[in-house]
Amino acid sequence: MAQVVVVGGGPIGLILACEVALHGVPVVVLERLPEIETHPKAEGITGRAIDILDRRGLMIGVDGTPAQPTAGERARIALGERRADSLQPKAFPGARHFATMFVLRPESPDLLVPQQVLEKELAGRAAELGVEVRRGHTLTGFTQDGDGVRLDVDGPDGPYRMEAGWLAGCDGGRSTVRKLAGIAFPGTDGITTGYRAFAEIDDPDFHLPGWFRKDNGLLVYEEGPPRFITLEFIGPPANRDAPITREEFQESLRRLSGTDVTVTKVHKINRFTDNERQAETYRQGRILLAGDAAHVQSQWSGPGLRLGLGDAVNLGWKLAAVARGQCPEDLLDTYTSERHPVGAQTLEVQRASIALMRPGPHVDALRRLLTHLLLDEDTNRRLTAVVDDLHIRYDMGDPSLTGPLVGLYCPDLRLKDAGGTVRLAELQRTGRPLLLDLADDPGLRALAEPWSGRVDVVTAECADAPADALLIRPDGFVAWSTPAGETSLPDALARWFGNPART
């Protein structure tokens, strides 16, 4: 019996499987598709997602580049040919957009890596960790009780049954796991129809390249190779599953550009809308949801991948600890209590983004006002932090007992010990919790000794140490820190990593 079965072999399912397998828990991934999809998906890694991957040693050496203008854009900038009505940035090099307003100042450049490249990297890591990925296997049903989950699966050689201790649904916005579990998925319907395509056209000069807000929607045209995004406020697609014809995309491109441009060939294309929905709970007994199975949102500013990766690293170590019997099952309730509010806020931000993209003079006025407000550095950083998931603070108890840093994501500290200098991110590659002793306190280390089999204790110096000691969870968030009294450390260790008497 597999201790954990993950349904969905996309990036969220794969990284969740890796997080669980890091702790020696057997994992099976069921993926209905025989191979990785090739149609356009996320095209970059942003915000906190970059930190998450870095702390597991992922995407290192991958040929990803910081976000920058295309060759065509650089040429037009040099020639002074930027159009006044283009939404591309002028004042802030490296800026990213909110509602297609290129005004956000991210802490670090985005990593331009197609989702398919990330999936291949994660598949390789999963194989290294012994995760069994079954492609072409579809979940058709399941039942659960206090002892486990029994799954019905349709595989290439026919239907079969399997058992698991826990079932995680990472199978997208139309999640079979969520539907079979009967978990409600309330939210708002889409009001737009959009296309993202790599295609060829008969006249490359049909429109200036760039991002353009039109009277009837949005047109994005990027050169070399040609990439297009169209968005029209005409309601959601009548049938999102219907094949996308060249003519269908061409008509959208013509309506937005006001030209008779002809699409001669489509290489890759997908259709999308902006429905925003969230599962009422991320856990029902032994069933858990992560990524788009737990929430769907519009694609602007790339929240889906970032939000899903945050779900996976929050859930993975908790699920492994419960599966191994180190922690009680109620640890899994903190997954919903911590991640559900983050998802809800993301949906609100995305609804606001869509509202700010609607055509019309009233929205024009609001966009001008917001652009002016975001010239203020503090205001800009606050919005950027929300968009990039850098603002998150989990409720981990009374701060007076745990320290003012508790609940926040720990920055990538530079640490120095007898062996030299190391980054915190490098110490978190194992997925184990860390107790950083930055004041060489033997009493602190003695308190943590009963948890030595589960928590790595590192004594080091740090020039910019935010505290004398920090207890950092596997997901990078601070669970305890000084100046809270050392006597509260055992309580924090037991709360998050179990009673040391458990095996």
Side-chain angles (χ1 to χ4, degrees), residues 9-19 29 36 45 52-53 56-59 62 114-131 133 135 305 309 312-313:
I12 308 309
L14 288 172
I15 198 167
L16 176 59
C18 291
E19 289 293 292
V29 176
I36 294 174
I45 302 169
I52 289 170
L53 296 175
R56 293 298 184 265
L58 292 159
M59 305 309 296
V62 172
Q115 181 171 315
Q116 289 85 350
V117 174
L118 174 60
E119 288 189 33
K120 290 179 181 178
E121 172 99 351
L122 290 170
R125 178 61 56 87
E128 292 173 1
L129 293 170
V131 174
V133 179
R135 289 196 167 273
L305 181 59
L309 290 175
V313 296

Side-chain angles (χ1 to χ4, degrees), residues 261-342:
V261 63
T262 296
V263 176
T264 57
K265 187 173 183 179
V266 176
H267 297 286
K268 298 180 182 179
I269 190 169
N270 74 323
R271 183 195 290 118
F272 62 91
T273 186
D274 63 289
N275 56 313
E276 317 280 347
R277 298 188 177 278
Q278 185 177 30
E280 286 191 342
T281 180
Y282 291 0
R283 179 194 176 199
Q284 185 196 80
R286 291 177 173 267
I287 312 303
L288 300 126
L289 304 175
D292 286 354
H295 42 72
V296 294
Q297 55 286 310
S298 66
Q299 302 179 12
W300 302 104
S301 300
L305 181 59
R306 183 177 60 246
L307 189 60
L309 290 175
D311 292 343
V313 296
N314 184 289
L315 174 60
W317 65 273
K318 297 175 182 177
L319 183 54
V322 173
R324 295 183 66 182
Q326 293 178 342
C327 293
E329 289 186 15
D330 59 9
L331 177 64
L332 293 174
D333 293 332
T334 67
Y335 170 55
T336 293
S337 65
E338 290 179 352
R339 294 301 298 174
H340 198 278
V342 175

Side-chain angles (χ1 to χ4, degrees), residues 132-477:
E132 181 185 354
V133 179
R134 301 181 185 177
R135 289 196 167 273
H137 293 247
T138 302
L139 177 74
T140 58
F142 66 79
T143 59
Q144 66 164 318
D145 57 27
D147 297 323
V149 187
R150 282 153 294 284
L151 296 80
D152 296 312
V153 183
D154 189 6
D157 298 324
Y160 63 94
R161 303 200 77 181
M162 65 182 300
E163 295 184 353
W166 301 87
L167 173 62
C170 302
D171 48 342
R174 304 179 192 183
S175 170
T176 297
V177 174
R178 187 190 67 241
K179 292 175 181 177
L180 291 174
I183 298 174
F185 201 48
T188 54
D189 294 331
I191 59 174
T192 63
T193 293
Y195 301 90
R196 179 181 284 104
F198 289 90
E200 298 177 16
I201 53 178
D202 64 340
D203 180 11
D205 296 323
F206 86 107
H207 198 285
L208 280 175
W211 292 54
F212 294 86
R213 188 161 164 265
K214 301 289 189 173
D215 291 340
N216 50 347
L218 179 78
L219 171 62
V220 177
Y221 172 36
E222 296 176 351
E223 297 174 307
R227 184 181 83 113
F228 304 87
I229 302 174
T230 66
L231 186 74
E232 297 177 272
F233 287 81
I234 55 176
N239 182 359
R240 287 189 61 187
D241 294 326
I244 305 172
T245 66
R246 179 182 62 82
E247 291 78 14
E248 176 185 348
F249 169 60
Q250 177 177 276
E251 287 306 308
S252 178
L253 199 58
R254 287 180 173 182
R255 286 192 295 267
L256 288 164
S257 67
T259 71
D260 292 327
V261 63
T262 296
V263 176
T264 57
K265 187 173 183 179
V266 176
H267 297 286
K268 298 180 182 179
I269 190 169
N270 74 323
R271 183 195 290 118
F272 62 91
T273 186
D274 63 289
N275 56 313
E276 317 280 347
R277 298 188 177 278
Q278 185 177 30
E280 286 191 342
T281 180
Y282 291 0
R283 179 194 176 199
Q284 185 196 80
R286 291 177 173 267
I287 312 303
L288 300 126
L289 304 175
D292 286 354
H295 42 72
V296 294
Q297 55 286 310
S298 66
Q299 302 179 12
W300 302 104
S301 300
L305 181 59
R306 183 177 60 246
L307 189 60
L309 290 175
D311 292 343
V313 296
N314 184 289
L315 174 60
W317 65 273
K318 297 175 182 177
L319 183 54
V322 173
R324 295 183 66 182
Q326 293 178 342
C327 293
E329 289 186 15
D330 59 9
L331 177 64
L332 293 174
D333 293 332
T334 67
Y335 170 55
T336 293
S337 65
E338 290 179 352
R339 294 301 298 174
H340 198 278
V342 175
Q345 184 174 47
T346 298
L347 266 62
E348 286 291 280
V349 170
Q350 293 305 105
R351 290 187 183 105
S353 178
I354 289 295
L356 284 164
M357 292 165 62
R358 297 191 76 147
H362 294 85
V363 177
D364 293 346
L366 184 58
R367 289 170 67 91
R368 288 192 292 270
L369 175 61
L370 183 58
T371 300
H372 176 74
L373 293 174
L374 290 176
L375 293 173
D376 176 75
E377 188 72 22
D378 290 340
T379 302
N380 194 294
R381 290 193 179 278
R382 281 197 292 270
L383 179 58
T384 303
V386 171
V387 170
D388 279 350
D389 288 349
L390 306 180
H391 68 298
I392 298 170
R393 183 169 198 158
Y394 295 140
D395 181 3
M396 297 194 188
D398 186 347
S400 66
L401 300 178
T402 54
L405 300 175
V406 168
L408 296 174
Y409 194 80
C410 189
D412 189 19
L413 303 173
R414 266 59 176 178
L415 307 169
K416 184 178 181 181
D417 60 14
T421 302
V422 65
R423 293 191 298 128
L424 174 62
E426 295 169 328
L427 295 177
Q428 292 212 279
R429 299 281 159 80
T430 63
R432 286 168 58 88
L434 290 173
L435 176 61
L436 293 184
D437 173 15
L438 304 177
D440 195 8
D441 184 346
L444 183 79
R445 298 194 295 274
L447 287 172
E449 176 60 29
W451 285 268
S452 60
R454 303 177 193 174
V455 179
D456 292 335
V457 180
V458 176
T459 301
E461 298 176 1
C462 181
D464 54 351
D468 288 341
L470 295 160
L471 178 63
I472 305 170
R473 302 191 321 186
D475 57 357
F477 285 82

Side-chain angles (χ1 to χ4, degrees), residues 471-490:
L471 178 63
I472 305 170
R473 302 191 321 186
D475 57 357
F477 285 82
V478 179
W480 175 92
S481 75
T482 55
E486 290 184 1
T487 56
S488 62
L489 175 60

